[in-house]
Amino acid sequence: MSDLITDTSPSPSGVSDENGSKKSRAGALLRFGRTGAPVLPFLAYVSLGLLLPTIAIINLAFRSNAGKLTLANMKVILCTSNNQACLQYRAGFENSLKLALVTSIVPGILGTFVAYAIATSKHELFKRLTAACSGVLAQFGGVNLAFMFIAAFSAVGGVATHWLADIGLNPWNHGFNLYKFWGVAFVYMYFQLPLMILIITPAFAGLKESWREAAEGLGASTWRYWRHVGLPVLAPAVLGSMLLLFGSGFSAYATAEALTAGTIAITPIQIGAILNGNVLSGEANLGYALGFAMIVILLISVIGYALLRRRTSRWLR
Amino acid sequence: MASLELGQAIQGEALMDSYSRGNPSARRIKRVRWGRGTALFLAALYFIVPFYAAMQFCLQDVNGHFTLQTFTQIAQAPGFYSALWLSTQLAVATMAIVLILMVPTMIYVHLRMPRFRRVMEVITILPIVIPPIVLIVGVDGVTPLWLKSSQWLLALIYVVLAMPYVYRSLDAGLGAIDLKTLVEAARSLGSGWVSIIWRVLIPNLRSALLSASVLTLALVFGEFTIASLDGWTTIPVWIYLTPTTNPRINTLVAMMALLGTALVLMLIVSFDRKSHLRRS
């Protein structure tokens, strides 16, 4: 089991483990039995608190409310039949994926530029300050952030809305709605952008100045340097970071719930509604099915992140 | 190492400057600076404006004049103190459980089972794959009723959510001290394990333990998803659900929570750096 986990593991140090050869694996289990006892409480806690709930989700996602094995829940959330009741869950997934894509690609690109601007700065204090700020802002989110944005940008009484209206740019008159898709995306940026800056900055530190000098010495223009050296080296790191942002945007619940009072149709909100009992009585196990589908999507993005991470470590450390 | 690279970078740029004086590429450098300035300015604007606007919203009365009245209204708001008390209890319980569980385990793993670190690293990535909204669905499906009706279930779940932060802080802290030497020295002087952990290692891991605790504290005080779906009125749930006579009260509590988070996180960063400087 633990071997299974280790094999698919994204090695966060970025270095693949050369010692993991086959001969040591045979004795590994035996050695674990002898020396592993002190980590058992930790493993037991993780099994009960993380593994057991996950197994329950996978199990119950494929059972009817009466406890029989069934694919009915999956059919409903994938909406293979065209009845009206299930369309909302498919729409939920579409909105969630769209939201996660928008809030990973846009802050991903902007964050890369801002991180580059910070990384090439010569002021050490400024670098340290922005790093600390990114660390703090990436932790913002949830109810508090939603209330901050409501106070600033609500249609009536929003202070920043008022400022913008004073210069004739009231965003609500130009199609902006804080409580709809783009409003939610706008708020998500507040923690996604710092998160991107935080995780992409080390990549710029690994971009050697000597590569640029070498390229220019061979007569490359700035464009050619970025096209053939800078971007190819950075691309895996940028894409991997974006996948991490995708996961964070896809699974956020509190911010969207508090901002829209649960009116935006995204999967986490729909799961919350099912848990709160705001559904038809026959749909209780749909919550597990939706949870299972979220796990699958997040697992794919994390594995993608791990693979890109491994590729990144080829050039950048 | 880092400063060496920086030194090279500065030298490189100075060299470039001297080459390119009066060249077309000097214009390029200038353009890069302008681009950098604009990008940073816009980013700063995006982060400062909503914060400043919300603070102004909280600290003005109906006529738009500055007032601190909202602060006194928080104290009288219904349910605020019980929410604060619940969040405090949960934070203390979560910190106690997660530290008692993780500190001895991680010390042992660093000493005797270095290969197990990878397993722990993977486990600490799992909360990304199984976010709170999904975790609570599964917990709901397996928790016996007597535990489900207890507020301490929240603390038990928060321990899982806090593990990634605690793991990372402790891993960095343990990596920075000479664990083996400390333990061997203490043992050769006749210490038992309890006294090694309590009197030798914990004082050496002070900053790592501090940041682990503070991150856990921030997590518990900000967690909304699980608390609200489990029906407990912690501070974030109170902010969201309690209608007060004045919406500024709820927003001000939210802003104080954000400021508090920012403050303690800044504290960690500066504390980490100070202890790092002292060592080197």
Side-chain angles (χ1 to χ4, degrees):
Chain A
M1 179 65 212
S2 65
D3 274 348
L4 188 78
I5 297 175
T6 0
D7 275 347
T8 56
S9 80
S11 76
S13 57
V15 189
S16 65
D17 194 359
E18 297 292 338
N19 305 329
S21 57
K22 272 174 191 149
K23 60 175 185 200
S24 71
R25 192 156 292 178
L29 209 66
L30 200 74
R31 260 185 289 126
F32 186 84
R34 249 180 299 160
T35 58
V39 300
L40 286 180
F42 167 76
L43 286 180
Y45 200 102
V46 170
S47 310
L48 282 177
L50 206 56
L51 201 61
L52 190 65
T54 312
I55 292 170
I57 291 169
I58 298 169
N59 177 27
L60 292 168
F62 294 97
R63 285 185 191 276
S64 68
N65 285 358
K68 282 205 178 119
L69 273 178
T70 173
L71 283 175
N73 297 325
M74 288 296 136
K75 277 186 187 145
V76 172
I77 64 164
L78 296 174
C79 214
T80 46
S81 60
N82 244 351
N83 70 33
Q84 211 55 33
C86 66
L87 282 175
Q88 58 164 321
Y89 294 113
R90 198 167 69 186
F93 272 114
E94 282 166 9
N95 287 337
S96 280
L97 289 173
K98 216 166 78 182
L99 186 63
L101 278 177
V102 168
T103 60
S104 55
I105 293 173
V106 176
I109 293 170
L110 294 179
T112 306
F113 280 114
V114 175
Y116 179 69
I118 294 169
T120 52
S121 159
K122 280 178 229 157
H123 306 282
E124 202 49 26
L125 185 71
F126 170 74
K127 276 187 191 175
R128 230 183 273 146
L129 193 72
T130 44
C133 286
S134 307
V136 168
L137 290 167
Q139 294 291 327
F140 278 23
V143 177
N144 301 331
L145 188 70
F147 270 66
M148 180 175 107
F149 267 88
I150 292 171
F153 286 105
S154 65
V156 185
V159 174
T161 310
H162 198 77
W163 294 339
L164 288 169
D166 278 351
I167 55 170
L169 284 172
N170 187 343
W172 289 80
N173 294 341
H174 295 87
F176 175 79
N177 187 335
L178 186 61
Y179 314 120
K180 292 273 163 62
F181 182 88
W182 289 103
V184 175
F186 181 64
V187 177
Y188 276 20
M189 287 259 296
Y190 206 84
F191 55 85
Q192 296 280 61
L193 191 59
L195 184 61
M196 184 68 190
I197 295 172
L198 204 62
I199 49 187
I200 198 66
T201 299
F204 284 114
L207 206 57
K208 304 258 181 312
E209 189 65 24
S210 54
W211 296 343
R212 181 183 206 121
E213 283 159 15
E216 282 181 356
L218 294 169
S221 63
T222 306
W223 158 249
R224 286 189 68 122
Y225 163 72
W226 281 111
R227 166 75 185 75
H228 293 290
V229 181
L231 279 182
V233 168
L234 278 179
V238 172
L239 281 178
S241 308
M242 279 184 185
L243 275 175
L244 217 58
L245 262 62
F246 176 90
S248 132
F250 184 69
S251 55
Y253 167 79
T255 315
E257 167 75 21
L259 191 66
T260 70
T263 56
I264 185 173
I266 56 174
T267 308
I269 301 261
Q270 291 173 338
I271 294 178
I274 291 173
L275 275 185
N276 276 332
N278 302 332
V279 283
L280 305 170
S281 59
E283 294 190 330
N285 273 11
L286 279 184
Y288 300 109
L290 291 172
F292 174 72
M294 280 188 74
I295 292 180
V296 171
I297 292 171
L298 289 167
L299 196 62
I300 292 170
S301 74
V302 166
I303 290 173
Y305 165 74
L307 294 176
L308 283 166
R309 185 85 203 224
R310 199 161 289 174
R311 218 188 130 77
T312 307
S313 64
R314 194 181 295 173
W315 292 105
L316 304 171
R317 290 197 182 260
Chain B
M1 173 66 200
S3 60
L4 189 76
E5 270 176 11
L6 186 82
Q8 284 172 341
I10 291 173
Q11 267 180 11
E13 238 178 280
L15 209 64
M16 294 266 304
D17 269 348
S18 63
Y19 274 135
S20 60
R21 201 158 288 149
N23 277 358
S25 56
R27 227 175 299 142
R28 193 204 76 210
I29 288 173
K30 206 160 203 171
R31 207 170 59 221
V32 167
R33 289 223 177 101
W34 268 101
R36 172 195 299 162
T38 317
L40 291 177
F41 177 74
L42 288 177
L45 212 61
Y46 172 69
F47 288 111
I48 291 168
V49 165
F51 194 90
Y52 185 82
M55 278 315 281
Q56 188 174 331
F57 173 82
C58 299
L59 299 178
Q60 62 183 199
D61 58 19
V62 276
N63 299 320
H65 297 303
F66 176 80
T67 175
L68 289 174
Q69 212 186 2
T70 326
F71 278 104
T72 55
Q73 286 174 334
I74 292 178
Q76 297 149 11
F80 176 73
Y81 278 116
S82 56
L84 188 63
W85 175 231
L86 178 61
S87 281
T88 311
Q89 281 177 305
L90 290 174
V92 172
T94 309
M95 281 195 273
I97 300 172
V98 81
L99 290 180
I100 290 171
L101 187 69
M102 295 291 279
V103 171
T105 307
M106 289 200 57
I107 290 174
Y108 183 80
V109 166
H110 268 256
L111 269 179
R112 295 281 157 80
M113 301 172 70
R115 282 172 57 85
F116 191 71
R117 279 172 66 189
R118 270 185 74 190
V119 179
M120 289 188 86
E121 260 166 16
V122 173
I123 288 173
T124 61
I125 292 181
L126 286 181
I128 299 175
V129 184
I130 305 154
I133 182 69
V134 177
L135 185 64
I136 183 64
V137 175
V139 169
D140 221 43
V142 294
T143 313
L145 208 61
W146 58 268
L147 188 58
K148 225 185 246 182
S149 57
S150 163
Q151 68 183 48
W152 303 114
L153 174 63
L154 285 185
L156 294 177
I157 304 173
Y158 290 164
V159 169
V160 175
L161 299 188
M163 270 179 192
Y165 300 105
V166 174
Y167 173 80
R168 244 146 258 189
S169 305
L170 289 179
D171 194 55
L174 285 166
I177 62 174
D178 194 349
L179 191 61
K180 214 164 209 158
T181 309
L182 283 175
V183 170
E184 275 165 10
R187 281 187 72 98
S188 72
L189 293 170
S191 288
W193 274 106
V194 175
S195 121
I196 290 178
I197 291 178
W198 191 251
R199 290 171 60 192
V200 177
L201 295 181
I202 285 186
N204 272 296
L205 292 170
R206 215 179 298 136
S207 84
L209 288 170
L210 183 81
S211 58
S213 315
V214 165
L215 286 167
T216 308
L217 184 83
L219 179 131
V220 175
F221 267 85
E223 207 288 327
F224 170 79
T225 309
I226 290 173
S228 78
L229 291 173
D230 220 24
W232 292 100
T233 307
T234 55
I235 285 288
V237 180
W238 181 88
I239 294 172
Y240 177 50
L241 287 181
T242 310
T244 46
T245 46
N246 182 351
R248 293 168 209 281
I249 300 174
N250 301 48
T251 309
L252 185 58
V253 176
M255 295 307 290
M256 288 301 107
L258 287 180
L259 272 177
T261 313
L263 211 68
V264 292
L265 289 177
M266 285 288 194
L267 215 70
I268 296 182
V269 174
S270 66
F271 196 86
D272 271 358
R273 235 199 40 243
K274 235 180 264 161
S275 61
H276 182 74
L277 286 180
R278 204 177 49 223
R279 258 198 302 276
S280 60

